[in-house]
Amino acid sequence: MRFLRQVGCASVTAAVLGAACLNALARDPDRAVSPQTLYNQGTQKLGEKKLREAEVLLQTAVATQVERVQGPALYNLGHVRFQQGLEELKKGPDAQKAKSVAQQADESGQSALRAVDAALASEDLSAMVNAYVQGRGARKELKAATEAVKQAMESKGTVLSKWQRASGDFKSARELVPADADAAHNAEVVDRSIAQLVDMIQMMMQSMDGMQQKRAELGKKMGQLRQKMPGDLGKQMKGGEEEDDEEEGKKPKEPQEGQKEGPVKDGKEMQMSAEEAERLLSMLRLDGNRKLSMGGDEPGKPTKGKLRDW
Amino acid sequence: MRIAHHLILSLLLAFLAGQPVGAVGSADALFDQGMQAYVAGGFAQAATNFREASALRITAGTLHNLGNAEWQSGHAGAAILAWEQAQWLDPFNPDTRGNLRFARKAAQVESPELAWYEICSAWLPVNAWAWLATVSFWIAATMVILPGVLRWRKADWQQGLAAAGFAVLLITLPALVGVHTRAQLGVVVSAATPLRLTPTQQAQVLAKLPAGESARLERQRGNYVFIRTATAGGWVERGQFGLVASSNSNP
């Protein structure tokens, strides 16, 4: 009987210890913030346009795996990421400008090619020199335009990845809450924007390829022209051409020992008027009556009813 | 008369084994076919046969061979799962243990991290712990209750036996808990399995899990299961994760 009493005492002790552990777990500071609070805070940050913070909070709310919160949090996360893409679109290089620069460079390249062809056909030395100089200018212009298009493409790539994630978020929200028609609608709108963006990126790629080909062709013909030039003139021209080509394969400068960082320049955020923004966004226009509006009046607010607090 | 005796004996054995006679026979036939296919180099066919055989009658040997066939077919995840299942049934087989160690090293995946009571639970086959707990409980209970009921004189040996029974029961309890928690262990079957943030098709992918990665099942929702690996937790599709203690050896 004494043995049974001891077993009983041990069981009571174990129960008390277990209760103490559970109590300690309940007081864990990591568990203090509830998913609802995270969702509300994230939604508030979204309203305040603090997109980075909103993304972190809403993502954390989703990661808590509380079914009731996941759907609405994903919906708002979709909005956050779509707006982040829009911000990137505003900050990035102007695609229209890059396009016009590319067109101009293409025309210059075409004109230079014609001049070089004509010079190659003739024996006129001054025409050869002029065509060569024009070709060099056109090649530099083409290079600058290619660089501009490349930068624009990189920026569009970032936007694309943000919008793809936004589309995934809306679709996931719909999967979790099948009755959420707004999520399905927004996913459709984002998908259309993505399609337009992809078209634009493809156009830029084609334009870049065309410019690179033209530049290479021009370089080749300029080489032929150089060979045709008499005596030292060809060699003199060669120096400049090689210099131009070498820049491409050059490694970025590495910091040297003892080198100090230069003075920091005060950066200024690019200000953009409403008209400029509208023009920029007209490339990716969504239907005006849709929930993901991009105008100045209602900048990407989540659908009504989704911003409720618990 | 002799045939009738044999029939009754066969039926009794089959009943005790918990399997229908036909199932045992076809399981044996499938096992033999699997062996033949394996020897002939038809590993995919062998894996199919062994899987079908283990669906009819689960044995450690069939699962071990299934693991070998899957490994030879280039399915590291399915092989590790089959060997883990074989080890669940028979933890003493050194070949299975060796294969698992080799496969994990080759696939560059870690063994699951086990708590102390889970390690203890792996010392004996899972059913042995249940038997041990049941027998010890009844011995202790009998020694406590019977003398009173039958008006026996209390003897030291009865008290000693009861104490020993309770002691063994107490020792088996952590192991039984270990068996219960180890039952949630599983293996990622497909290579580059996306670990998702949400149980949805278009979910954000947190990581790509290699085939053979061990994880614990925490919950299920729809066509997805929430698993926790040593480094992260997330959702994977049901078909991409196999439980070690699953009654079905199909991944």
Side-chain angles (χ1 to χ4, degrees):
Chain A
M1 279 300 135
R2 187 189 288 170
F3 169 75
L4 289 177
R5 270 203 302 274
Q6 282 171 351
V7 170
C9 285
S11 306
V12 170
T13 313
V16 169
L17 280 172
C21 287
L22 283 174
N23 194 28
L25 277 174
R27 285 181 189 174
D28 189 345
D30 290 344
R31 291 167 182 242
V33 185
S34 73
Q36 286 90 343
T37 311
L38 285 166
Y39 170 80
N40 289 338
Q41 286 175 352
T43 308
Q44 193 188 336
K45 295 286 177 194
L46 170 62
E48 291 167 11
K49 291 261 178 196
K50 291 176 179 170
L51 299 178
R52 186 79 204 111
E53 291 167 49
E55 188 186 18
V56 172
L57 286 162
L58 289 168
Q59 174 108 350
T60 314
V62 172
T64 56
Q65 305 297 340
V66 176
E67 214 172 332
R68 201 159 56 103
V69 176
Q70 259 186 340
L74 273 170
Y75 182 90
N76 284 353
L77 203 53
H79 276 289
V80 169
R81 283 169 174 158
F82 187 79
Q83 286 188 39
Q84 280 179 332
L86 284 179
E87 292 289 321
E88 178 63 37
L89 208 62
K90 282 181 199 171
K91 273 195 291 181
D94 188 346
Q96 288 293 346
K97 197 178 166 188
K99 196 179 164 187
S100 66
V101 167
Q103 270 176 354
Q104 209 176 333
D106 193 61
E107 280 165 20
S108 301
Q110 200 68 41
S111 156
L113 265 174
R114 277 196 299 270
V116 171
D117 281 338
L120 278 169
S122 76
E123 294 297 324
D124 183 3
L125 188 61
S126 66
M128 282 185 209
V129 171
N130 284 340
Y132 191 88
V133 170
Q134 191 185 347
R136 273 193 69 179
R139 268 173 62 84
K140 277 185 179 167
E141 216 176 313
L142 280 166
K143 190 180 172 188
T146 307
E147 202 56 42
V149 172
K150 196 176 161 190
Q151 277 178 8
M153 261 174 63
E154 279 169 7
S155 168
K156 300 286 174 287
T158 312
V159 177
L160 183 65
S161 65
K162 282 280 175 197
W163 283 1
Q164 278 173 335
R165 196 55 258 138
S167 168
D169 291 337
F170 284 128
K171 284 173 185 166
S172 293
R174 175 66 196 264
E175 265 185 82
L176 290 175
V177 189
D180 194 349
D182 288 343
H185 177 79
N186 285 352
E188 219 173 275
V189 174
V190 176
D191 281 348
R192 277 207 293 272
S193 309
I194 288 171
Q196 285 175 319
L197 195 63
V198 168
D199 285 347
M200 193 189 288
I201 290 172
Q202 278 176 347
M203 270 168 54
M204 282 179 175
M205 276 175 80
Q206 281 172 2
S207 159
M208 208 166 79
D209 284 348
M211 284 193 293
Q212 278 172 341
Q213 275 175 14
K214 200 155 279 174
R215 191 161 178 266
E217 194 185 344
L218 201 55
K220 199 177 156 190
K221 285 192 174 169
M222 280 165 70
Q224 288 170 5
L225 199 63
R226 229 171 24 232
Q227 281 172 354
K228 206 180 171 188
M229 284 178 191
D232 288 343
L233 197 58
K235 282 178 189 170
Q236 280 173 15
M237 296 291 184
K238 195 177 177 180
E241 186 58 32
E242 272 178 352
E243 198 180 279
D244 188 28
D245 278 340
E246 272 171 10
E247 278 175 20
E248 282 175 27
K250 213 185 271 181
K251 282 184 183 175
K253 281 180 187 173
E254 287 176 8
Q256 290 170 351
E257 210 173 318
Q259 194 177 344
K260 283 181 184 174
E261 200 178 332
V264 180
K265 288 176 186 172
D266 289 332
K268 198 179 176 186
E269 199 176 325
M270 193 172 78
Q271 298 295 321
M272 195 179 272
S273 67
E275 287 81 11
E276 281 174 325
E278 198 179 335
R279 182 175 54 78
L280 185 74
L281 298 175
S282 65
M283 296 178 287
L284 299 157
R285 184 174 290 149
L286 301 171
D287 294 355
N289 59 350
R290 295 289 158 82
K291 294 183 178 65
L292 288 169
S293 80
M294 286 181 271
D297 300 327
E298 194 188 353
K301 280 182 188 170
T303 317
K304 278 179 186 174
K306 289 288 172 189
L307 287 168
R308 67 181 183 275
D309 286 348
W310 256 275
Chain B
M1 201 61 185
R2 198 172 172 156
I3 295 167
H5 275 143
H6 275 281
L7 191 65
I8 290 166
L9 195 65
S10 303
L11 281 168
L12 191 67
L13 282 172
F15 175 76
L16 287 173
Q19 300 288 340
V21 179
V24 173
S26 56
D28 284 341
L30 281 165
F31 182 84
D32 290 339
Q33 284 171 22
M35 288 299 284
Q36 283 166 11
Y38 189 90
V39 171
F43 301 119
Q45 181 58 45
T48 309
N49 289 333
F50 287 134
R51 190 174 292 112
E52 284 171 5
S54 67
L56 291 169
R57 186 184 59 181
I58 296 178
T59 62
T62 312
L63 288 167
H64 177 89
N65 289 349
L66 173 62
N68 289 358
E70 291 284 19
W71 180 260
Q72 295 290 355
S73 304
H75 305 143
I80 290 173
L81 175 63
W83 285 326
E84 278 284 6
Q85 288 173 334
Q87 205 177 35
W88 174 264
L89 296 174
D90 178 14
F92 304 122
N93 192 332
D95 293 338
T96 310
R97 209 178 309 133
N99 285 1
L100 265 175
R101 205 181 300 126
F102 170 78
R104 286 210 164 101
K105 199 175 174 186
Q108 294 185 327
V109 290
E110 294 291 321
S111 309
E113 280 180 23
L114 301 176
W116 66 269
Y117 49 89
E118 290 175 327
I119 294 168
C120 293
S121 75
W123 290 344
L124 290 176
V126 281
N127 291 340
W129 288 113
W131 277 109
L132 207 56
T134 310
V135 169
S136 59
F137 171 77
W138 282 112
I139 287 174
T142 307
M143 286 302 112
V144 168
I145 296 164
L146 267 190
V149 174
L150 300 175
R151 296 175 189 279
W152 289 348
R153 218 182 67 192
K154 282 186 181 173
D156 286 347
W157 67 270
Q158 292 163 356
Q159 295 281 316
L161 208 57
F166 275 118
V168 173
L169 179 66
L170 284 175
I171 287 168
T172 59
L173 288 180
L176 286 171
V177 173
V179 169
H180 177 71
T181 53
R182 269 203 307 138
Q184 302 304 313
L185 277 172
V187 174
V188 173
V189 179
S190 316
T193 296
L195 188 72
R196 299 156 194 269
L197 180 65
T198 51
T200 55
Q201 195 67 38
Q202 300 285 330
Q204 187 178 339
V205 175
L206 302 171
K208 296 262 183 181
L209 300 177
E213 176 93 14
S214 296
R216 276 173 203 275
L217 175 77
E218 288 195 0
R219 64 180 97 168
Q220 305 182 26
R221 209 194 293 174
N223 194 33
Y224 296 88
V225 288
F226 187 89
I227 60 166
R228 193 169 292 284
T229 67
T231 51
W235 299 88
V236 295
E237 281 181 39
R238 253 174 215 276
Q240 293 174 324
F241 183 74
L243 275 178
V244 171
S246 169
S247 58
N248 186 1
S249 62
N250 287 324

